[in-house]
Amino acid sequence: MTDPDTYGQHLSKEDTAKRVVAAELREVDPCGFFDKTVLQTHGQLVTLGPAQFMATCEAGIVTAASQAENSIPSSIFLELTDSGPAYSDADKKKDVNGVAVYDETDMDDACKFTVTLAVPDGSGNSDDSGGNTYMRIVTQGFGAKDHNAANCVAANETVNSVITHSRDKKLPRRTDSSSVVPLATTDPCSLIPHLPQGFTVADGDWDMHSGAAPYYCLFHFLRPGASTSKYADAITVSYSLTEEYLVNYGDVHEQINGHPVKVQHLGSSICAVDFPVGNTIDANLPGSNLSDSVKRFSRNKVVVTIHTPCDVYKEVASSAMSQFGG
């Protein structure tokens, strides 16, 4: 394991450890926790890939139940998250081979579990909390409506796979994934050394956002000529997934670096700039008979969002597009 890049900033031991956890989590492939052989015992596996957020994976399976209820496949959704269990009562928690598992099922048409993950913390050991890192598992559509037992069977199979990977400290890696997710392993804070000319970051005046949300960075910068943090402004960088059919900026009359972008004015002084990066991530698998109207929900683009003072959004977004693509 290499030390995380601090971009010339002096960080505390605690913040450096957060950087290590965040970097490790960007390397984890959520789809690698699935056992395709087990998934296919439920029916035809038709989709497999990230959904909704960067640190996720969803398996879509055509089951007897999904065919009877509607045209939407049954689903198992995995999410790496730093949001702990909603229910911490003793009766909701169980220890499975040394791994804490929380049963958070609170609906009659879905089954939900949260599993703690052991993630390297930079000390040469694995922190069993992973810096408060968890895998959330949600299953839906495996049984008839209002009959949740089949959902929980599918959920427990996936829980067991997550536990095995965590216990054995062999988390699946992005480098072994069949799905290429743009920017999945790229640190959003890597914009710092590529800010517009003359912009500087006050030493220590930044937040790398720890835990299992490693796709967010906030820092304060000084404009040319400013000398103290009294005059600092904030920039945030984040990545998200957006369904491809929604990423259409052709009607937005704004271009930066020759590409259309979406610009929103948030109040009087802060602007948000969105731009897509990389190829479409198509989670649809060959041989699927899903309709095109259903398949489109499994095609996503990675979108970078920059929040910055409006008077410099063009300069900052231009630097971000040069760094991240777009």
Side-chain angles (χ1 to χ4, degrees), residues 53-67:
F53 310 105
M54 293 286 288
T56 64
C57 188
E58 185 172 53
I61 305 170
V62 175
T63 63
S66 69
Q67 289 179 314

Side-chain angles (χ1 to χ4, degrees), residues 57-251:
C57 188
E58 185 172 53
I61 305 170
V62 175
T63 63
S66 69
Q67 289 179 314
E69 292 287 336
N70 52 50
S71 60
I72 305 299
S74 307
S75 66
I76 308 175
F77 178 75
L78 302 183
E79 180 187 11
L80 275 170
T81 177
D82 58 358
S83 176
Y87 306 104
S88 57
D89 311 48
D91 62 333
K92 297 287 185 180
K93 179 182 178 181
K94 60 181 178 180
D95 184 286
V96 182
N97 295 326
V99 178
V101 179
Y102 300 84
D103 184 347
E104 298 194 278
T105 302
D106 56 4
M107 299 181 291
D108 59 8
D109 62 350
C111 199
K112 181 166 72 174
F113 291 93
T114 298
V115 181
T116 56
L117 286 183
V119 178
D121 63 1
S123 65
N125 301 310
S126 284
D127 176 3
D128 288 336
S129 71
N132 298 319
T133 302
Y134 307 88
M135 179 69 81
R136 185 154 293 129
I137 298 126
V138 182
T139 54
Q140 290 181 291
F142 285 86
K145 191 175 182 180
D146 300 332
H147 291 80
N148 212 18
N151 288 321
C152 291
V153 168
N156 275 294
E157 292 170 348
T158 307
V159 166
N160 290 335
S161 176
V162 172
I163 288 172
T164 298
H165 281 90
S166 184
R167 181 197 61 210
D168 295 346
K169 300 177 182 177
K170 294 182 178 179
L171 302 183
R173 313 296 284 180
R174 294 274 189 187
T175 52
D176 300 321
S177 177
S178 59
S179 178
V180 178
V181 180
L183 300 183
T185 60
T186 301
D187 182 2
C189 290
S190 64
L191 176 62
I192 288 175
H194 300 282
L195 288 173
Q197 187 174 3
F199 286 31
T200 58
V201 176
D203 190 37
D205 195 10
W206 61 320
D207 175 16
M208 295 71 59
H209 201 79
S210 62
Y215 299 110
Y216 173 89
C217 182
L218 179 151
F219 57 91
H220 291 81
F221 72 96
L222 300 175
R223 299 165 186 259
S227 58
T228 70
S229 59
K230 175 182 178 181
Y231 303 104
D233 292 296
I235 290 176
T236 66
V237 183
S238 60
Y239 313 152
S240 62
L241 288 184
T242 301
E243 289 159 1
E244 180 189 41
Y245 73 95
L246 295 175
V247 184
N248 180 9
Y249 302 154
D251 58 346

